[in-house]
């Protein structure tokens, strides 16, 4: 079945760029998403990209999509302590646009 | 825009009671709402998909008589955990979206349910 994979942890120094990677299996996905979850909170939509796009940039966030390799990445420039959270990658699936979720990558910021 | 409000944010109750969680889309009409359950340090597990005016579609392994979902209007869906037991303790999150392939899901802040 459909699957989305992400590494569980990423540690970066404050001020550096963070790159969170994700791979997926469903080539028919129309949209791919990045959500952020802070402890004890719901999910915040960060950005999403249509499957026929290669890149999308929004302020400090850059999403890169390699459809051939089914690889999605989220780059956070100038990482700050407030970026500490779990980042979920998800792909849309089905007529109700249900989301297939990755396990989430915990971003740890070192001072 | 696209704000989803979920209440209550935290509830503690005795085993055997029923608990209702509300999910409201405040500034948009949600044709579809989703209910998720999240265990500690894990990803989201979809419980059911609810279209306004229709019966909810439950995922495999989710008891529809245990988790009652009502989506009576375009701005409100409710999840009732009936006869709750300690194993039902979890973090429940709802999301909502409008129709259209390019519309993302917007999430509530979640409800922490603790059954004693």
């Amino acid at each position: 079945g459909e699957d989305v994979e992400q590494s569980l942890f990423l540690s970066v120094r404050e001020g550096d760029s963070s790159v969170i990677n994700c791979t997926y299996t469903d080539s028919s996905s129309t949209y791919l998403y990045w959500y952020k979850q802070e402890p004890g909170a719901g999910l915040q939509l960060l950005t999403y990209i249509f499957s026929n796009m290669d890149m999308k940039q929004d302020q400090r966030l850059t999403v890169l999509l390699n459809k051939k390799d089914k690889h999605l990445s989220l780059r956070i420039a100038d990482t700050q302590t407030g970026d500490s959270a779990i980042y979920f990658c998800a792909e849309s699936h089905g007529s109700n646009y249900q989301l297939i979720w990755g396990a989430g990558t915990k971003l740890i910021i070192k001072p | 825009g696209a704000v989803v409000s979920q209440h209550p944010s935290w509830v503690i109750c005795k085993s055997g009671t029923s608990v209702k969680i509300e999910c409201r889309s405040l500034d948009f009409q949600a044709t579809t709402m989703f209910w998720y359950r999240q265990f500690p340090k894990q990803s989201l597990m979809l419980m059911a998909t609810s279209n306004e005016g229709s019966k909810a579609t439950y995922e495999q392994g989710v008891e529809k008589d245990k988790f009652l979902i009502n989506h009576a209007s375009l701005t409100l869906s409710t999840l009732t955990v009936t006869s709750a037991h300690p194993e039902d303790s979890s973090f429940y999150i709802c999301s909502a979206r409008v129709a259209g392939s390019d519309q993302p899901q917007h999430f509530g802040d979640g409800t922490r349910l603790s059954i004693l």
Side-chain angles (χ1 to χ4, degrees):
Chain A
E2 298 80 17
D3 193 22
V4 176
E5 293 193 355
Q6 321 175 222
S7 53
L8 295 181
F9 297 96
L10 175 66
S11 179
V12 299
R13 292 199 179 279
E14 188 175 358
D16 288 351
S17 292
S18 305
V19 180
I20 303 171
N21 294 300
C22 170
T23 57
Y24 60 98
T25 58
D26 187 358
S27 57
S28 66
S29 293
T30 50
Y31 285 89
L32 296 119
Y33 302 85
W34 285 104
Y35 284 88
K36 176 184 180 182
Q37 186 179 34
E38 297 185 26
L43 275 73
Q44 174 193 353
L45 175 66
L46 288 178
T47 186
Y48 59 105
I49 188 168
F50 186 45
S51 58
N52 71 351
M53 295 172 64
D54 298 323
M55 187 185 86
K56 181 178 180 181
Q57 187 161 0
D58 182 5
Q59 298 183 336
R60 291 192 298 126
L61 304 179
T62 303
V63 178
L64 294 178
L65 175 60
N66 182 328
K67 195 170 181 181
K68 174 176 170 288
D69 294 337
K70 298 191 186 71
H71 182 267
L72 182 74
S73 68
L74 173 69
R75 178 177 179 269
I76 305 172
D78 187 25
T79 308
Q80 302 298 309
T81 54
D83 296 323
S84 292
I86 297 177
Y87 290 81
F88 289 96
C89 168
E91 59 171 344
S92 64
H93 173 76
S95 58
N96 275 316
Y97 301 95
Q98 294 175 349
L99 295 178
I100 309 298
W101 296 89
T105 299
K106 184 171 184 177
L107 180 61
I108 300 163
I109 315 299
K110 296 181 289 187
Chain B
V3 177
V4 175
S5 175
Q6 188 173 340
H7 290 282
S9 56
W10 187 37
V11 59
I12 302 174
C13 60
K14 293 181 179 179
S15 185
T17 58
S18 293
V19 179
K20 180 184 280 190
I21 303 169
E22 289 190 351
C23 181
R24 293 181 185 272
S25 55
L26 297 187
D27 52 0
F28 66 100
Q29 294 190 320
T31 49
T32 307
M33 287 187 170
F34 303 85
W35 287 96
Y36 294 88
R37 184 171 178 175
Q38 187 178 33
F39 293 99
K41 296 185 173 35
Q42 292 190 26
S43 189
L44 284 77
M45 182 190 81
L46 179 65
M47 298 175 67
T49 302
S50 170
N51 288 300
E52 184 264 339
S54 304
K55 287 186 179 179
T57 302
Y58 289 81
E59 295 299 302
Q60 193 172 6
V62 178
E63 298 176 60
K64 59 181 68 175
D65 294 332
K66 173 75 169 174
F67 299 99
L68 299 179
I69 292 171
N70 184 280
H71 190 168
S73 78
L74 284 171
T75 58
L76 174 64
S77 176
T78 59
L79 167 67
T80 302
V81 184
T82 61
S83 187
H85 291 284
E87 59 266 27
D88 299 322
S89 298
S90 194
F91 191 58
Y92 292 88
I93 313 176
C94 73
S95 71
R97 70 184 296 274
V98 298
S101 62
D102 62 337
Q103 297 302 312
Q105 292 183 27
H106 298 280
F107 284 79
D109 285 335
T111 298
R112 174 75 57 196
L113 175 62
S114 296
I115 309 297
L116 304 177

